[in-house]
Amino acid sequence: MLAQLKQAWKLKDVRRKILYTLMMIVVFRIGATIPVPGVNADYIKAMVGDNSLLSLYNMFTGGAFSNFTLFALGIGPSITASIIIQLLTIGFESLEELQKSGEEGKKKINKYTKYIALVLAFVQATAITLGIVKNALISNSAFFVITVILTLVSASMMLMWIGDKITEKGLGNGGSVIIFIGIISGIPKDIIATVHKVQSGEIQIWAALLLVVVILITIAAVTYIQEATRKIPVQYAKRVVGRKMYGGQSSHIPMKVNQSGVIPVIFASSLLAFPQTIAMFMGADAQSFVQTYLSPVSSPGVWIYRSLEVLLIVFFSYFYTTVSFNTEDIANNMKNNGGFIPGIRPGQSTIDYLNRILSRLTLAGSLFLAAIVMVSAIIMFFMKLNISLVGTSLLIVVGVALELKRQLESNLVMRSYQGFLK
């Protein structure tokens, strides 16, 4: 692996992508440490420590919310806007046509996504400023409150821009990379806190070792499923063009067990954080209700929260796979090039066959993702541990790391180098 990293570093364009991604990550981490002026961060830290939903939200922002820094909103508004746009494409044919109309259509879709993200960021910033952190403000004047809101909104838009630039000029999906960095930035703090708890006797040594085993098994299982692929055989008929004969060779269609990666997990987590935003507008009673019945760490909310998370993961797995893997286009391309799946008629029969396989693979992949989340959550709940890198967050970290590996691998393969990992 180190040898392949060295080879990648020697390639000018790959090195540029790596450096650009690292530069954007540095900008993100700097913004995550610059506090919003005039806000008592100690008050917010104490509040986050007592609120399980805010702790989860704080984890995805890399600690920016508890310190109430510029990027306290995180990438959440952008991800939620993407979910809304994706769902709207189902009900509105005009959006669906835009999505299929090439580069210009994608630009318009991105523009609509940014407008929705701006509105969501404004709503979320207003809810946080006038709801959660109102008692932490040094002044309640309208000018000061508006300044805090505009600071959070503009920083959130900047973070969305950073994500777009990473996607365009760097490695990986920008939004996923930002969440990835936010999660792993809390690992040293979690390790130190766990060691102190073991030393003080608050946590038994066997519980800490069991946690390590669960993390290692999860990493291995996620890696296995993310890399698992079913190869559908394709045979191309022989045909004569002029004096040359074409076709006759065999190929395959790679269909991944988990076609959508960790996108369903990210979407599900973002959507489940939305009730907290709504509750901020509705006062202490609504916040108490959400904390009781939609909490990921306390009963009975943990069972409701995790059940909803499982359903959302399965839903978004099917939804995202349907959008990203068009079986009709694949079947038509095969038919136009003289290709066919042995034993399956070209045309509609091929489409039905591919849809049937894709549906089964997606069900297996989504249930696996849901099982990893549930098993880890149950262990954490009964052991009374609060570690960020378990369950949902661990799925995201491993999934994004594998995606970055694949992108770097493809850059090397294009230049006739071996894969990043043998």
Side-chain angles (χ1 to χ4, degrees):
M1 185 179 72
L2 293 177
Q4 299 307 321
L5 271 174
K6 189 176 179 181
Q7 288 281 20
W9 189 256
K10 290 179 181 179
L11 297 171
K12 186 178 179 180
D13 54 342
V14 178
R15 183 169 67 248
R16 189 186 295 117
K17 287 183 178 183
I18 295 173
L19 290 175
Y20 189 87
T21 303
L22 292 175
M23 181 186 70
M24 286 300 178
I25 289 173
V26 169
V27 173
F28 164 55
R29 291 310 299 162
I30 290 174
T33 58
I34 300 175
V36 176
V39 180
N40 184 358
D42 292 333
Y43 175 86
I44 300 174
K45 286 179 181 177
M47 186 170 50
V48 169
D50 296 332
N51 190 305
S52 55
L53 283 175
L54 289 181
S55 298
L56 183 67
Y57 177 75
N58 183 57
M59 178 191 69
F60 286 114
T61 63
F65 181 77
S66 61
N67 296 316
F68 212 71
T69 60
L70 295 180
F71 293 147
L73 289 186
I75 199 73
S78 175
I79 294 175
T80 307
S82 298
I83 297 172
I84 293 173
I85 285 291
Q86 294 283 359
L87 292 175
L88 287 177
T89 55
I90 299 176
F92 294 90
E93 290 185 6
S94 56
L95 285 175
E96 190 175 356
E97 290 298 323
L98 275 179
Q99 203 169 42
K100 295 178 179 179
S101 60
E103 199 62 34
E104 287 301 317
K106 288 182 180 179
K107 286 181 181 179
K108 289 185 178 181
I109 291 288
N110 288 336
K111 185 170 69 172
Y112 297 152
T113 303
K114 289 174 183 177
Y115 287 150
I116 295 175
L118 177 61
V119 173
L120 291 174
F122 185 79
V123 170
Q124 194 169 341
T126 304
I128 288 174
T129 306
L130 297 179
I132 294 180
V133 304
K134 185 177 181 180
N135 294 329
L137 302 179
I138 62 171
S139 173
N140 290 325
S141 66
F143 176 78
F144 181 76
V145 170
I146 292 173
T147 301
V148 172
I149 292 173
L150 292 179
T151 299
L152 292 175
V153 172
S154 57
S156 180
M157 291 299 99
M158 179 182 175
L159 194 57
M160 185 172 69
W161 176 83
I162 290 174
D164 289 342
K165 287 300 177 183
I166 292 175
T167 303
E168 180 185 347
K169 298 182 179 180
L171 288 173
N173 178 279
S176 299
V177 170
I178 289 173
I179 294 176
F180 172 82
I181 296 300
I183 293 173
I184 65 173
S185 64
I187 292 177
K189 181 181 176 181
D190 285 342
I191 292 175
I192 293 172
T194 304
V195 170
H196 287 166
K197 287 180 179 180
V198 171
Q199 291 176 342
S200 64
E202 187 177 345
I203 297 177
Q204 298 296 323
I205 185 67
W206 65 265
L209 292 175
L210 178 61
L211 183 64
V212 172
V213 171
V214 169
I215 290 174
L216 292 176
I217 291 175
T218 302
I219 292 173
V222 172
T223 304
Y224 177 77
I225 288 294
Q226 293 287 70
E227 298 296 297
T229 303
R230 177 170 177 178
K231 297 179 180 180
I232 308 299
V234 178
Q235 183 70 38
Y236 288 90
K238 293 181 180 180
R239 52 181 178 159
V240 178
V241 180
R243 295 184 177 181
K244 293 185 177 180
M245 181 176 289
Y246 295 92
Q249 75 272 22
S250 299
S251 183
H252 67 268
I253 302 172
M255 298 180 72
K256 296 177 69 66
V257 173
N258 185 22
Q259 189 75 30
S260 53
V262 292
I263 295 295
V265 180
I266 295 175
F267 278 12
S269 300
S270 299
L271 210 58
L272 285 171
F274 197 68
Q276 181 72 26
T277 304
I278 301 299
M280 294 173 194
F281 282 108
M282 301 175 68
D285 291 339
Q287 292 180 35
S288 176
F289 177 84
V290 173
Q291 173 69 11
T292 302
Y293 295 102
L294 278 177
S295 169
V297 295
S298 60
S299 183
V302 62
W303 308 111
I304 301 173
Y305 182 94
R306 297 302 177 185
S307 298
L308 289 174
E309 189 173 26
V310 168
L311 293 175
L312 287 172
I313 287 173
V314 173
F315 170 75
F316 282 120
S317 293
Y318 274 98
F319 177 77
Y320 193 82
T321 300
T322 303
V323 172
S324 61
F325 195 91
N326 194 320
T327 55
E328 186 174 349
D329 288 346
I330 292 172
N332 289 335
N333 288 334
M334 278 198 304
K335 186 177 179 180
N336 293 335
N337 289 284
F340 62 93
I341 299 172
I344 306 296
R345 285 178 174 272
Q348 188 60 45
S349 296
T350 299
I351 295 173
D352 294 339
Y353 177 75
L354 291 177
N355 282 333
R356 188 163 60 251
I357 293 177
L358 187 63
S359 177
R360 292 172 180 174
L361 291 176
T362 303
L363 179 62
S366 61
L367 290 179
F368 166 78
L369 292 177
I372 290 293
V373 170
M374 286 298 292
V375 170
S376 301
I378 291 171
I379 291 175
M380 293 283 289
F381 176 71
F382 285 108
M383 292 176 61
K384 305 298 180 184
L385 293 174
N386 186 20
I387 306 295
S388 61
L389 196 63
V390 175
T392 303
S393 56
L394 187 58
L395 276 172
I396 294 172
V397 167
V398 177
V400 174
L402 289 172
E403 181 60 32
L404 289 172
K405 186 266 292 184
R406 275 193 293 269
Q407 283 212 13
L408 194 56
E409 208 172 42
S410 64
N411 279 278
L412 293 175
V413 170
M414 282 192 298
R415 292 158 184 82
S416 299
Y417 286 110
Q418 292 181 355
F420 182 61
L421 292 175
K422 292 184 179 179

